[in-house]
Amino acid sequence: MTTGVRRRMGVEERRQQLIGVALELFSHRSPDEVSIDEIAAAAGISRPLVYHYFPGKQSLYEAALRRAADELAGRFLEPPQGPLGARLLRVMGRFFDFVDEHGPGFAALMRGGPAVGSSTTNAMIDEVRQAAYEQILAHLEVGKPSARLEMVVRSWVSLAESTALLWLDGRRIPRAELELQLVHDFAALAAVSAAYDDGMADLVVRMLADEPADGPFGDLVGRLLDLAPRVPAQRLR
Amino acid sequence: MTTGVRRRMGVEERRQQLIGVALELFSHRSPDEVSIDEIAAAAGISRPLVYHYFPGKQSLYEAALRRAADELAGRFLEPPQGPLGARLLRVMGRFFDFVDEHGPGFAALMRGGPAVGSSTTNAMIDEVRQAAYEQILAHLEVGKPSARLEMVVRSWVSLAESTALLWLDGRRIPRAELELQLVHDFAALAAVSAAYDDGMADLVVRMLADEPADGPFGDLVGRLLDLAPRVPAQRLR
């Protein structure tokens, strides 16, 4: 019966509740600024009881980060159907949703202040980067990437991070524009590599061949070809 | 007279010598792994004497980082003459020289481990990023950048960092190739932004108009136009 009496939580349930409360607080302010007292108050329990479940703030922070990392990695999952540009654009939408929801915490984490940077947190960040990298390779249907493809994909993942961090600092560009820009940036970085490497050229041609003209990749190529006449012809061979 | 008797150094001279010795050690191994004893031995003085000049390893590390940051910022300086692509390529060459010389220390610093990440070191990293950003704006002859141009330049600076870090992890791609690729990446990221923003379009047209066909930008555009026929025509409008 649930007649207004507060139900006593089990150990695991209480841990999960504390992690949720902590993640919410750590998402909206730098972890440095969040105290155990606040977490206890937000969870409706006493400070000593928090310590019963977690030895200290760092361990609670790491548990919250674990949950956030799993959630973010989950947002990278996208069915392997339809044009690649549209898939990547949907993933970017979910990535920016995440960044939007966890802004200050994401910024503090990625900037690696002294109170939050540890080998555990760094390992979790690397794990999410690796998940993003593997998802992209899966969508490109590439099993064993060349060193150049690996560089393109990993450096683009890093570009997505830094673009999101720059966006959080003032939010002066509409996020939808940046989501599309990052999809275009992926094509642009791949094209640069394709200009000098046959394997990358084959991949980019294959990538574009399946794209509709009105998808993000087709639209970009069309717009760039429109710009080309403005550059003196002899400059373009 | 210098007849084999070791000359006694002045305070500032000794400090500078210790910073140089420390920077050399911190450059070749992760700062976590370098002890004050080693620094003392390499400088040919006793451990207590090191503490006479620096209160501890963190302060010596920060002084070494200060010197490295100033040196790196100095390498961004490039006379504002000649085609922009060639200027940027020379700067990339000096940037990779730096990364090559200070590899493990650079990697440890940028990955922000617990022993090295502090608000002081983070502020120095941001200072170098800002110096790079301002240099590029000066070469583009832009005084007040739009939010979009700022995003392109700052995200490219971050791309240069991550590309260098990825290169250090195995060095599987010749560095000269990556130096050129980063110059191309700059043009590519600017072009993506130009496809959707008139101000960026004007800037990119101006940038390319002064480029020779055999410079890095002209060469890239030529190669990409060579690739275009391989993509089915209807995909490109």
Side-chain angles (χ1 to χ4, degrees):
Chain A
M1 296 218 301
T2 54
T3 51
V5 178
R6 195 183 282 185
R7 193 170 53 79
R8 205 188 156 101
M9 288 187 189
V11 172
E12 192 48 34
E13 194 182 356
R14 176 64 85 189
R15 273 182 60 90
Q16 293 306 322
Q17 180 222 10
L18 276 171
I19 292 171
V21 164
L23 180 57
E24 178 71 18
L25 288 168
F26 288 138
S27 295
H28 291 96
R29 268 173 308 145
S30 169
D32 291 352
E33 299 164 11
V34 178
S35 68
I36 288 279
D37 283 328
E38 265 181 285
I39 295 169
I45 63 176
S46 68
R47 179 187 163 92
L49 198 52
V50 174
Y51 284 108
H52 179 71
Y53 293 98
F54 293 94
K57 195 168 90 171
Q58 183 65 22
S59 109
L60 190 43
Y61 178 70
E62 285 172 6
L65 194 58
R66 174 79 271 156
R67 183 182 288 181
D70 291 343
E71 192 196 318
L72 179 53
R75 297 192 189 194
F76 298 152
L77 297 175
E78 172 72 26
Q81 278 116 38
L84 199 66
R87 293 184 220 170
L88 201 51
L89 187 57
R90 285 191 291 270
V91 173
M92 285 298 96
R94 294 196 296 269
F95 171 61
F96 270 82
D97 283 344
F98 179 92
V99 171
D100 212 351
E101 289 158 26
H102 303 286
F106 178 79
L109 174 67
M110 302 308 291
R111 294 189 53 82
V116 296
S118 76
S119 50
T120 308
T121 58
N122 281 342
M124 277 193 262
I125 295 172
D126 279 343
E127 205 181 284
V128 175
R129 286 177 181 147
Q130 182 66 20
Y133 170 70
E134 287 172 7
Q135 277 301 309
I136 291 172
L137 288 188
H139 283 279
L140 293 174
E141 295 171 22
V142 171
K144 293 195 171 179
S146 66
R148 286 176 183 83
L149 177 58
E150 180 175 346
M151 178 65 86
V152 166
V153 176
R154 289 197 193 275
S155 64
W156 178 81
V157 168
S158 143
L159 186 71
E161 284 173 28
S162 55
T163 299
L165 279 172
L166 288 166
W167 173 69
L168 280 175
D169 185 14
R171 305 192 180 206
R172 289 179 297 146
I173 301 179
R175 55 169 267 197
E177 194 179 309
L178 294 179
E179 293 163 15
L180 184 61
Q181 183 176 301
L182 280 166
V183 175
H184 290 150
D185 287 345
F186 182 78
L189 297 183
V192 164
S193 199
Y196 294 85
D197 181 86
D198 289 343
M200 285 298 302
D202 292 344
L203 183 84
V204 167
V205 167
R206 182 160 63 81
M207 211 167 90
L208 288 178
D210 293 336
E211 286 296 306
D214 61 352
F217 291 154
D219 189 53
L220 173 68
V221 174
R223 282 168 182 264
L224 288 178
L225 290 176
D226 287 348
L227 264 185
R230 290 182 54 192
V231 179
Q234 71 277 17
R235 301 305 178 196
L236 309 177
R237 288 204 278 188
Chain B
M1 296 220 299
T2 55
T3 51
V5 179
R6 194 183 283 185
R7 194 170 55 79
R8 205 188 156 102
M9 289 189 187
V11 172
E12 192 47 35
E13 195 182 356
R14 176 64 83 188
R15 274 181 59 90
Q16 293 305 323
Q17 181 223 10
L18 277 170
I19 291 171
V21 164
L23 180 57
E24 178 71 16
L25 289 168
F26 288 138
S27 295
H28 291 96
R29 269 175 305 149
S30 168
D32 291 353
E33 299 163 10
V34 177
S35 68
I36 287 281
D37 283 327
E38 267 181 283
I39 295 168
I45 63 175
S46 68
R47 180 187 163 92
L49 198 52
V50 174
Y51 284 108
H52 179 72
Y53 294 98
F54 292 94
K57 196 169 90 171
Q58 182 65 21
S59 111
L60 190 43
Y61 178 71
E62 285 173 6
L65 193 59
R66 174 78 269 157
R67 186 183 286 180
D70 291 344
E71 193 197 318
L72 179 54
R75 295 192 190 194
F76 297 152
L77 298 175
E78 171 72 27
Q81 276 117 39
L84 198 65
R87 292 184 219 170
L88 201 50
L89 188 57
R90 284 191 291 272
V91 172
M92 285 298 95
R94 294 197 295 270
F95 171 60
F96 270 82
D97 284 345
F98 179 91
V99 170
D100 213 352
E101 289 158 26
H102 303 286
F106 179 78
L109 173 67
M110 302 308 289
R111 294 188 55 83
V116 297
S118 76
S119 51
T120 309
T121 58
N122 281 342
M124 276 192 262
I125 294 172
D126 279 343
E127 205 182 283
V128 174
R129 287 179 180 145
Q130 182 66 19
Y133 170 70
E134 287 172 7
Q135 277 300 310
I136 292 173
L137 288 188
H139 283 279
L140 293 174
E141 296 172 22
V142 171
K144 293 196 173 178
S146 66
R148 286 177 184 82
L149 177 58
E150 180 175 346
M151 178 65 87
V152 166
V153 176
R154 289 196 192 275
S155 63
W156 178 80
V157 168
S158 145
L159 186 71
E161 283 173 28
S162 56
T163 299
L165 278 172
L166 289 166
W167 172 70
L168 280 174
D169 186 11
R171 305 192 180 205
R172 289 179 296 146
I173 301 178
R175 56 169 267 198
E177 194 179 307
L178 294 179
E179 293 163 14
L180 184 61
Q181 183 176 301
L182 280 166
V183 175
H184 291 151
D185 287 345
F186 182 78
L189 296 183
V192 164
S193 198
Y196 294 86
D197 181 87
D198 288 343
M200 284 299 301
D202 291 343
L203 183 84
V204 167
V205 167
R206 183 160 62 79
M207 212 169 88
L208 287 179
D210 293 337
E211 286 295 307
D214 60 351
F217 290 155
D219 189 52
L220 173 70
V221 175
R223 282 167 181 264
L224 288 179
L225 290 177
D226 287 348
L227 264 184
R230 291 182 55 193
V231 180
Q234 71 278 17
R235 302 304 179 195
L236 308 177
R237 286 206 283 189

